[in-house]
Structure formats: structure tokens, C-alpha cells
Amino acid sequence: MHDIVTIPHWIDGAPRDGAGGRFGPVYNPATGRQTARVALASRSEAEEAIATAKAAFPAWRDLSLAKRQQVLFSFRELLNARKRELAAIITAEHGKVLDDALGEVARGLEVVELATGFPHLLKGEYSENVSTGVDVYSLRQPLGVVGIISPFNFPAMVPLWFFPIALAAGNTVVLKPSEKDPSAALWLAELLAEAGLPSGVFNVLQGDKEAVDSLLEHPDIASVSFVGSTPIAKYVYERGTAAGKRVQALGGAKNHMLVLPDADLDLAADSAINAGFGSAGERCMAISVLVAVEPIADALVQKIRERMSRLRVGEGTRGCDMGPLITREHRDKVAGYLDVAASDGAAVVVDGRGVEVDGDPDGFWLGPTLIDHLPTSSPVYTDEIFGPVLGVVRVSSFEEGVQLINSGRYGNGTAVFTNDGGAARRFQREVEVGMIGINVPIPVPVAYFSFGGWKESLFGDVKAYGASGFGFFTREKAVTSRWLDPSHGGINLGFPQN
Ligand code: NAD
């Protein structure tokens, strides 16, 4: 264990070794070897991070908008210049291929760019002379110390969905990244410091449930932004709101792609491959169910199968298309669904367990898998598998397809493939899902819109980033003011009426 490095917290502008005595293993999923151990925070370490952020809050809040903006601009420049370093860190701990890791950073950068324009987004409103000599205006003020809890699958992008906006609005931050790939958050903290962010304004608390519970319970945490699986999102939402906090908790997904008979089948097949197997299916916006409206299912499955035979699986640094899964346990769990599919009567058309890999055989590999004739009663259909497993369900009409999508418990993303504008329009109106693609398989909204699903994909009603992000990280005040002119209004116990 001596040559294994320890990944620390980041508190008050510096790395902080774990003092709690608990550590979690961090692997390179492409080799299957442990590369580091990460500190798992104790309650007292969590309290220290929160106290640090609380102490840093008044000065950060009171810094002029122009000075806060300069820090964000510097951060944007540094992140853009050094994004390859961050992508390499992501690939080493998450396993996704380098191009995909760079794409993740690019989507995060978009939010930083949005946040640099924050003075405009934080402007209040002003109404003059609402009553004689009385003006009303609104102010947006920061919440205080905000908590952010992120999942393993986007170790940089998901924190970047939240903290640039939280900081722009004048809050201070405690980020609890996933313990499975914790280095990206630490790297971002160092970069923020280099960009001139004062110590204590942004802190990284490494850890697991104990750190999460500490954030949920602590009275000085004003809000919690959580992204992860649905059971934990629900838990975080319920506990956080019960403790009086503002909570947005984004959960899991099971995203369907509906292909109508008039669709361009080559475009649909390419899209199904990209959205089904990109990042080894470990994306909350991955397509995991293809709903083919007959009579095109056989032709579409054939096209997808041909394309799958050309995919290269291997180490993220070797120019492959798809990397490994996050842990051995997760790989085994996902692979277990293939036996379930077979026993539930589905046809395993391509079995990823026998995949040839360009990399270490001890990596957590599972190749792209295609399951046809998937019964909707099977757990392979109902569960969020979170791996490179694409199921095909055949339906006989548009209506049947929409009804199937709407009957699910999740409502994160969905896509329709068609050349019929009327059908696409009907789809966008009728489908009960938060993010919709029309001939676009992964419809992640750009930074100036907002990200979030419906139903069990989002607890709380405020989405991530965009205008919603600024709403979440600020509290509004309405001020009614009168500057007395020489004439006094006299006593009046009623509401003023003019
Ligand atoms: P996860 O729920 O296991 O973990 C998310 C966070 O919660 C981590 O920081 C983890 O340390 C913490 N956590 C884990 N168990 C906990 C517990 N018992 N109590 C308190 N905290 C706990 O999720 P994951 O496996 O890291 O990420 C994958 C999941 O995230 C998938 O379900 C995916 O769909 C979802 N996700 C959703 C979105 C979205 O925007 N809706 C985006 C990315 C990922």
C-alpha cells in the first residue's frame, strides 16, 4: 500500500490530508489496478470544510461584481488552455476515452462561459412610482454556503454545471465529488486558486455517505445540488428539504429513442450507436431502449449490428471508441443482465462479454451489447443498467411508442427519429420527458437553457444551469422605497391605493 498515493480534500485553499482514518480505493478501470486511495471525510472534517466556506462567504459576497467576474474569466482561460490535462485525469480514473473526456470538459466550459456573464443574469427589476412617490425593485443575493454532490460518470462536467454559477452569484462552495474518481475535482480546485479565487471560497470534501449526511444535516449549508442515482437523489431531497434546505436532486434515467418508419435509418443507426455505447453507456442521457415502429425493426437492427462490429473497445488513451466500466462490481452487475435477458425470452444479438479488447485483460471490460425483442416486463427493460447495453422493443404504432415511453418511472431524455415534422411536433407535445431530441439522440441542452428531467429523474422543481441555475443559487428580495419629499403623507392604516 506504500506506493499508493492518497487523494486529499481541498480546504481553505490547500490540500488537506484525510484525518478521519477512512479511505476508499481509486482504480484505473482500464487496467483493473488500484492507483490511489481517497480520503473519506469524517463529520469533523466536513464541519471544518463548512466552517471554512462560511468564514469566506462575507468577503466573497461583498467583492464587486467586476472583481468576481475577473476570477471567472481567468478560470475560463486556464481551463480552456489546460483542458487536456483534465481530460487525461478523467480517462485515468473513469475510463472513458480521451475524446469523450475532452467533450465532457467542453460542456463544462460552456457553463463557465455562461457564468462569466453573470452581472446581466443577476440584475433585478425596477418599477418607478408604483404608488405616489414609491418605487419597487428587486435584488438577487447569494444563499451562503452551498453543497454540491456529484456522481462518478461526469467527474468534471457535473460539478461544472453548478459551481461556476454558485460562485458567480456570490456563494461559497463545498463540493463532494464521487469517491470513485475524485481527482478531477481537486484539479479544478487548484485551477480556481490559480485563477485568483480567494482561499476558502471553494472547498472539496472527499467522501461517501458520511460526508453527504454531514452536508444534509449541517445548519450552515443553505442548499444542496445533487446528481446521482434515483434512490440516493430521493433520499437527499427528502432529508435536505426536511432540514429546511433548498434542494435540487437529479436522478437516474432510462432513455428511449423512438424510430418511426419514415426515418433515415442510417442516421438512426449511427445515433443509436453513439448514444447507446458512448462512455460505455454510463451517461444519464444514454439511449438504452430503441423503440422501433414496425415494419423497420429488422432493417434497423441489422444496420446497428453491422456498425457494432466495427467498434473498438480498449484503453481511452489508444484512440478506441469505448472504454471500460467504472468498477469490477459494476461490470459484473451489468453483465449479469445478459443472462436475465436470455431467460426472459429476449434475443441477445451481440454479447459484449466476449469482446476483444485493446488493453489490459484485467480491466473492467464489457463490449457493446444488443438485445432484441426485449419484453417490457424484464428488469433489463425496467432497470437503469448504466452500461453498454441497448435493448430493442418493437411497437406497431407511434401512439404505442409514446405510451410506452410515458409509462416509465423516469423522464430524463428521449429522442424521436422521423422525417415527418407533424409527428415530431406531436411527439414533443405528448411525451412526458424533460429533454427531447428530434433527430438528435443526446439532447443535452446548451448552457443558456437548463438541464433536468421529469418524474423520478429530478426531485425538486429547479433544473441545473441556465436561468434556473441563477434562480437556484440566489434569493430574491423585493424592496419598496419612498424618499420623502417635504410633504408628509400622514397616517393611513390601509394599503396605499394610488
Ligand atoms: P450514486 O447515486 O451512487 O452516487 C452519487 C453521489 O451520491 C456520490 O457522490 C456518492 O458518493 C453519493 N452516495 C452514494 N451512496 C450514497 C448513500 N447511500 N447516501 C448518501 N450519498 C451517497 O450515483 P453514481 O453511481 O455515482 O452515478 C450514476 C448515477 O447518476 C446514474 O443513476 C445516473 O443516471 C445518474 N446521473 C444523473 C444525471 C442527471 O443529470 N439526471 C447526471 C449524471 C448521472
Side-chain angles (χ1 to χ4, degrees), residues 4-62:
I4 296 265
V5 295
T6 300
I7 299 167
H9 311 291
W10 181 272
I11 298 175
D12 208 10
R16 178 76 54 90
D17 285 341
R22 290 192 311 126
F23 299 91
V26 177
Y27 295 94
N28 179 340
T31 63
R33 277 191 288 281
Q34 187 180 347
T35 52
R37 60 177 198 168
V38 60
L40 300 176
S42 63
R43 291 215 169 221
S44 64
E45 285 172 299
E47 275 164 18
E48 196 193 336
I50 296 165
T52 302
K54 187 181 180 187
F57 174 61
W60 179 244
R61 174 195 61 199
D62 293 341

Side-chain angles (χ1 to χ4, degrees), residues 149-154 158 161 176-180 207-210 212-213 216 226-230 232-233 235-236 250-253 283-285 384 386 412 435 451-453 457-458:
I149 301 163
S150 56
F152 82 83
N153 67 322
F154 286 109
V158 167
W161 280 357
K176 207 284 308 158
S178 169
E179 65 275 40
K180 293 184 180 127
D208 54 7
K209 178 173 168 53
E210 192 163 333
V212 171
D213 287 346
L216 292 174
F226 172 91
V227 180
S229 59
T230 285
I232 312 295
Y235 167 80
V236 165
L250 287 76
R283 288 181 182 145
C284 68
M285 289 294 276
E384 182 187 36
F386 223 55
N412 213 41
M435 293 173 281
F451 183 104
S457 295
L458 174 66

Side-chain angles (χ1 to χ4, degrees), residues 174-448:
V174 177
L175 165 65
K176 207 284 308 158
S178 169
E179 65 275 40
K180 293 184 180 127
D181 44 13
S183 295
L186 207 61
W187 188 91
L188 286 165
E190 282 174 31
L191 207 71
L192 281 166
E194 208 177 316
L197 191 76
S199 296
V201 173
F202 181 82
N203 305 276
V204 177
L205 185 69
Q206 308 285 10
D208 54 7
K209 178 173 168 53
E210 192 163 333
V212 171
D213 287 346
S214 305
L215 293 177
L216 292 174
E217 283 162 17
H218 202 290
D220 290 334
I221 291 287
S223 73
V224 175
S225 301
F226 172 91
V227 180
S229 59
T230 285
I232 312 295
K234 190 162 184 284
Y235 167 80
V236 165
Y237 183 74
E238 285 170 358
R239 277 200 74 174
T241 51
K245 301 182 195 312
R246 190 178 280 205
V247 182
Q248 51 181 178
L250 287 76
K254 188 87 187 179
N255 305 315
H256 297 62
M257 171 171 153
L258 181 66
V259 184
L260 303 187
D262 71 325
D264 177 329
L265 292 192
D266 287 304
L267 174 68
D270 286 344
S271 301
I273 295 273
N274 297 343
F277 306 126
S279 205
E282 291 174 331
R283 288 181 182 145
C284 68
M285 289 294 276
I287 291 291
S288 50
V289 181
L290 195 71
V291 184
V293 179
E294 292 292 26
I296 47 114
D298 281 343
L300 185 58
V301 166
Q302 186 52 30
K303 283 178 186 291
I304 291 172
R305 195 178 177 167
E306 276 163 25
R307 285 162 170 77
M308 286 173 76
S309 67
R310 298 198 293 270
L311 291 177
R312 283 183 55 228
V313 178
E315 280 198 26
T317 48
R318 297 189 186 181
C320 296
D321 298 302
M322 196 187 104
L325 274 74
I326 184 72
T327 58
R328 192 177 305 284
E329 296 69 34
H330 186 56
R331 190 215 84 100
D332 292 348
K333 187 173 169 212
V334 175
Y337 278 101
L338 275 68
D339 292 328
V340 176
S343 65
D344 285 348
V348 181
V349 178
V350 181
D351 186 333
R353 287 173 294 194
V355 71
E356 210 175 287
V357 168
D358 182 4
D360 192 317
D362 288 335
F364 309 141
W365 308 108
L366 180 69
T369 294
L370 184 64
I371 297 174
D372 199 0
H373 297 284
L374 179 61
T376 54
S377 55
S378 171
V380 179
Y381 175 75
T382 52
D383 291 359
E384 182 187 36
I385 296 177
F386 223 55
V389 179
L390 183 63
V392 180
V393 176
R394 294 156 182 248
V395 295
S396 57
S397 65
F398 171 88
E399 289 77 12
E400 198 189 334
V402 171
Q403 200 178 22
L404 181 69
I405 297 170
N406 287 350
S407 64
R409 55 193 281 236
Y410 301 109
N412 213 41
T414 188
V416 65
F417 279 72
T418 181
N419 282 315
D420 179 341
R425 185 171 182 278
R426 207 178 139 197
F427 183 80
Q428 84 186 18
R429 277 180 64 78
E430 293 179 12
V431 80
E432 291 166 9
V433 174
M435 293 173 281
I436 294 165
I438 296 174
N439 297 317
V440 172
I442 309 188
V444 174
V446 289
Y448 33 95

